[in-house]
Structure formats: structure tokens, C-alpha cells
Amino acid sequence: MTWLEQLAVFGAGIAAGGINTIVGSGTLITFPVLLAIGYPPVTANVSNTIGLVPGSLSGAIGYRRELSGQRERLIKLGIASVLGGITGAILLLVLPADAFKAIVPVLIIAALVLVVAQPALARRIKERRGTDQVPAHGGPILFAAIFGTGVYGGYFGAAQGVLLLGLMGVFLNEDMQRINAVKNVLAMLVNGVSAILFMILADVAWEVVALIAVGSIIGGQLGAKVGRRLPLNVLRGVIVVVGTIAVVRLLTS
């Protein structure tokens, strides 16, 4: 890479780390940059996933205050994310590169609908179950949905955070900022297990990994400071805007 290309990748890493911490979809910044520079799609995807792991960790640390009291939830949903991430990473290595292309925009649109409708849906679910019957960690439906999101995240990962926020917002009786903190940990777990498999089995561009990793660490800290201060309605608005851009980018790419 030329120094201008290195600067572009580093800058994309900062932006992706920040966006991933606040919402998700940072891959939609870094991945196109790597393709424009000339990296093959699978190599770009693999290197990007590995590079964003430190940024995910940085964002999770930045939201550590909101993680207080959620240890059991993180363990249960984390298991689903890890299993899903391993499955998705294996699928990336064995399936054609465009195998999920048709379903990805549908998944993101569904997540956006969930985010917008989350207050009304959560209220109706709570009313039907009764206050004392709402599962503290979302129940088996959320576990299965988090597993499915992990599969998608291990395979490609763009807008994984939007999906997680939409699902947990409906099935958890919890503040959106605390849900966002859990989202950061789950995304980190998916990226982490995928990265381990990719480092062992795939062709990795390590220069790209280093640039994105350093950039995403900076972005993760910046994103945590910004995201924590966003009012609930503004946070939902950011999620919808970023998710909509993700759909448009995927449909037109």
C-alpha cells in the first residue's frame, strides 16, 4: 500500500470503531476501502474482521459502567454469539462469496423495523406475559436469534450491531444504553472467535489488520463517549440512519 492508502485504511478504522461502538455497521466503511485498494473480497473481509476485534474490545471497555449487573446475561447470550460466530466463519470459508447477499438487506431492514417498533413491541410482550413472567435474559427465542445474528456476524458482519440492538430491545426489559453495552460485548465475541479461525485457516493481510486495529481502538473510545451521551430517541434515530445507509450500500454495491 502507498502511504495515502495506509492513511485511508487507518482513517476508516477510526470511523468504523466509533460507529461500531455507537450502533454497528463499521464494516461498511472499512470493507469498501479495502476493495477499492485492490484486496480480494474474502481477504478484505477476513482482514477487516481481525482488525476490528481490538476496536470492539475498546468499545466494550468504554461502556463498562453500563455492563454492571449484567454478568449472567452476558454469559448466556455470549454463548449464543460464540457458537454463531464460529458457524458463520466456517460458512465464509466454505461457501461462495455471495451466498448471503440476497438475505443481508432483508435482515437489516427487519432490524430497523424492530428498533423503531421496539417500545410498542416490548410493552405488548410484557403485557401478554405479565410483569413477573418476563425472562431476565430474553428467553429461548432471543437466544436463538442471537445465535443467528452471530452466524451472520461471523460470515460478514455489516450491521450486526443493528440486528443485536433491534432484537434485544424487543426481548429485554432494559435501558437502551445498557443494551448497547451488551451489544458491544456480543459483537466482540463474534469477531473474536471468527478472527481466531481466520488467522489459522485464511489468507490475512496483516498490514491491513494492524492499521484497522489501531484506528478502531481510537474510534472505540470516541464512540463510547459520544454514544453514552445520546438521548434515547436520538440513539434510535442514529441506528435507523446508519442501518438505512447500510441497506442502500449493500443493494447498490
Side-chain angles (χ1 to χ4, degrees):
M1 287 187 289
T2 66
W3 70 270
L4 281 175
E5 290 172 338
Q6 292 174 349
L7 185 61
V9 173
F10 177 68
I14 294 176
I19 290 175
N20 277 342
T21 302
I22 299 172
V23 182
S25 300
T27 290
L28 292 173
I29 296 176
T30 47
F31 187 67
V33 169
L34 297 180
L35 293 182
I37 290 173
Y39 285 97
V42 173
T43 300
N45 192 11
V46 163
S47 304
N48 177 66
T49 297
I50 298 172
L52 288 176
V53 172
S56 298
L57 177 60
S58 176
I61 292 173
Y63 262 92
R64 61 190 178 277
R65 187 173 68 215
E66 285 77 10
L67 291 172
S68 176
Q70 300 198 77
R71 182 173 179 275
E72 187 177 350
R73 175 178 292 160
L74 288 171
I75 292 173
K76 289 185 177 181
L77 298 182
I79 291 172
S81 289
V82 168
L83 294 176
I86 293 172
T87 304
I90 293 173
L91 289 176
L92 176 66
L93 298 176
V94 300
L95 291 180
D98 60 349
F100 278 4
K101 187 173 182 179
I103 195 64
V104 169
V106 177
L107 288 172
I108 299 175
I109 291 171
L112 294 179
V113 172
L114 287 175
V115 170
V116 173
Q118 180 264 327
L121 287 173
R123 187 168 56 251
R124 290 193 63 180
I125 290 173
K126 186 176 180 180
E127 288 173 354
R128 291 186 62 180
R129 287 173 170 170
T131 305
D132 297 331
Q133 298 180 24
V134 178
H137 310 304
I141 295 178
L142 181 60
F143 185 91
I146 296 297
F147 169 79
T149 304
V151 173
Y152 167 63
Y155 187 91
F156 182 46
Q160 175 187 188
V162 177
L163 288 167
L164 288 170
L165 287 171
L167 290 166
M168 289 190 290
V170 169
F171 289 98
L172 295 178
N173 184 23
E174 188 62 87
D175 175 77
M176 183 62 79
Q177 291 290 0
R178 283 172 60 80
I179 288 175
N180 199 23
V182 174
K183 177 267 294 179
N184 288 330
V185 174
L186 298 184
M188 178 190 68
L189 291 173
V190 171
N191 288 341
V193 296
S194 302
I196 293 171
L197 287 176
F198 293 156
M199 286 188 287
I200 297 171
L201 301 173
D203 182 23
V204 179
W206 289 106
E207 185 178 14
V208 167
V209 170
L211 289 168
I212 292 179
V214 176
S216 66
I217 289 172
I218 298 171
Q221 289 299 303
L222 294 174
K225 291 181 180 179
V226 172
R228 180 180 286 118
R229 294 171 181 169
L230 290 177
L232 182 57
N233 289 335
V234 174
L235 179 59
R236 282 204 179 92
V238 171
I239 294 169
V240 171
V241 170
V242 172
T244 301
I245 293 173
V247 172
V248 173
R249 290 284 297 275
L250 288 168
L251 289 175
T252 58
S253 62

